[in-house]
Amino acid sequence: MSAYAWYPTREFTERSNITAFCRRHGVDGGYRALQARSAADPEWFWERAVQDIGIVWHRPPLRVCDESGGIAFTRWFPGAYTNLVDSCLERRVRQGSGQAPALRWEREDGTRGVLTYGEAAAYSARVAGGLRGLGVMSGDRVAGYLPPGPEAFVLLFACARIGAVLVPLFSGFGAEAIAIRLVDADVRVLVTAGDAVRRGRRQDMAAVARTSLESATCVRHLVVVREPSGPPSVGGERGEPEASERPSPAGGEQEGRTVPSGPGGHDRVGLATTDWHRLAAAEPVPVVSVPVTAPFLLLHTSGTTGRPKGAVHTHGGFPAQVGSETRYNLDLRPDDVVFWVTDPGWIMFPLIALGGTLAGACVLAYEGAIDHPDVTRLRHLLDDHEVTVFGSSPSLARMLMGREPRDPVVPSRLRILGSTGEPWTEDAWRWYFAEFGGKRCPVINICGGTEVGGSLLASAPTLPQSPCGFAGPCLGIAAVVEDDSGAQPPEGQLGELVVERSWPGMTRGLWRARERFAQTYFGPRPGRWSHGDLVSRTGDEWFVHGRLDDVIKLAGKRLGPTEVEDAVVGDPAVAEAAAVGIPHPVKGEALWCFAVPADGRSLGETEAERIRGRVAGALGAAFRPARVVAVPELPRTRNGKVMRRLVRGLVTGEAPGDLSTLVNPACLDAIRAALHEQ
């Protein structure tokens, strides 16, 4: 890879949370020394980290971890009682920081507002009281089908406050995808927005939610945010709800009756509709003390077999993990404003909500398209809200490259850039670092996933960086690179990311699928977590090349798709690319490249031959693509991941599996047509 592109200044390093931690605990050698010690002795690290992060124990743990059940069933902080709301919100109020901003929010139409820590704590206590009024108890599941905003933020803490389990749903899901997850989790209450706006177009979320409930009969209550705004105490009181919105005295459920859903519609028998603002007007409830192993989050991740997996995260392990990453890798501080382009249905929303508030920082939530009405929207958003830490997927950088005005002004307070979701291409990384961040912000890559409860690999703000690189495993993570035989490959060669010991954020299992959990993550390499990412090491830095399933094998040689894609997008006629291996009777696999033309460009046979030559020149003649296919777009999820398996499946005829997380499913028909036309 390239030489270092960024070096930390002395001032940057001296003010960092990493430096403060190392000094406090006598670690000489900075991040690298701490990284090594924390991997060799995770109990030492996590005992000190949870104190530094500010985790509140109602009853302290008997020890840091109990590994007697093996890596899959390690118990973290056994014997402890806690509640993440105490650590994230109530602690700040008790310390006198109740007037500090906890959440800033803005919608596409320019509506915006602020919640202080005191207001967020009080708001979540009232919503929790409203949920209690609907019969929600500890352990019950409550689903949120909401756009990014104050309601999604508050619902997370409201559920946690009473020990309920939040089931986040992607705001772009259709009714069938929602119903599958509601039934799987046996959800009792579904909270949805009346509608949401994206690119100026209204999305009737309540109608989609109601359709999903026709088959998800486990749901007894539908709570609707009819007119999104802050809580009644923030931004003014709302008027009295219409009669059809008013809950019954018992909290809204009228067993065996059809409850009006509003003008022009009815809910199914046995379902009650309640207005969010009525729910939020309930008597506040105190924080419930729960065992450290109590679940607070049940988040589904897409499965290739058509059945989503439900990852379970707890009140103890998840805050410890994300608190460490946001404090030491993203370097969050109380005077920061952190904004990550994400959705309440993805892992990054709770990660930033909890990690930001654990740090005492302010979280920014934005509802709408980040490039609407034009690409300058994002930079204005960062400046208006004085964002200091910003994160997104590499796909956002690729979308903005070439579309922004020349010499754009870097947001004034920006000091950290983050990224996750997929591997970088070097061109996109350099644009993000140099053009978007003005060469003054480190790019903190994090790599993990829904089941990880955070990250396994991350960059560090106190270390120099190469384009696309990671500093290695996160603190407290004992990770290695292994080939198919279990050996560590030579420097620069590809292998799988494998973790040798448990970590606090690791899912406590898959919902109602104990055998699937053990087989999926520990079956391939008994006693170790097989993550499925293709990685390599060069010196002290690590690089991610894609998913193991995406590995291309040509004449016995293993190749990561991003290496090919980096060469393809270097052609001026190409905006994006996906490289896949297609079965070949002689070579094992043949390399096919699917390319999206740049604005105003076309990809004919002349351009395709030029692209083949670029790839062969960059990687060697053996890797010359057998075919280059021009397509209008690539299938991707809302958090930016290109679904290469779907592209490959269109050629091989494989079943597509779960498509519910795709934001552009229609592109599959367009790719299929392109395959037949070219």
Side-chain angles (χ1 to χ4, degrees), residues 468-551:
C468 314
F470 295 79
C474 291
L475 299 176
I477 300 291
V480 295
V481 184
E482 290 188 357
D483 62 20
D484 293 339
S485 69
Q488 296 190 29
E491 183 174 297
Q493 293 191 17
L494 307 182
E496 183 181 4
L497 175 59
V498 177
V499 188
E500 298 179 310
R501 297 182 67 175
S502 173
W503 62 95
M506 188 180 84
T507 175
R508 295 302 91 193
L510 299 179
W511 182 254
R512 296 177 176 171
R514 183 183 178 94
E515 291 184 4
R516 188 184 185 192
F517 171 61
Q519 181 58 37
T520 299
Y521 301 104
F522 306 100
R525 302 176 191 267
R528 289 170 298 167
W529 173 283
S530 295
H531 190 57
D533 272 356
L534 189 68
V535 298
S536 67
R537 296 184 62 177
T538 301
D540 288 330
E541 290 192 299
W542 294 46
F543 299 89
V544 176
H545 303 272
R547 294 292 294 170
L548 199 61
D549 292 344
D550 294 331
V551 172

Side-chain angles (χ1 to χ4, degrees), residues 134 176 199 236 247 261 366 545 564 613 628 644:
L134 299 182
E176 182 179 356
R199 299 192 186 284
S261 63
Y366 173 73
H545 303 272
V564 180
V628 176
R644 297 182 185 88

Side-chain angles (χ1 to χ4, degrees), residues 561-635:
T562 55
E563 297 174 83
V564 180
E565 292 158 7
D566 209 11
V568 175
V569 298
D571 191 285
V574 179
E576 289 188 276
V580 299
I582 303 300
H584 188 278
V586 177
K587 297 181 178 180
E589 286 187 334
L591 175 60
W592 287 32
C593 297
F594 292 76
V596 178
D599 289 344
R601 304 296 292 267
S602 61
L603 293 176
E605 184 52 40
T606 300
E607 290 79 14
E609 184 58 30
R610 187 174 68 222
I611 290 168
R612 292 188 189 98
R614 287 185 61 88
V615 175
L619 303 176
F623 300 107
R624 185 181 182 86
R627 189 170 176 185
V628 176
V629 182
V631 296
E633 58 181 327
L634 299 171

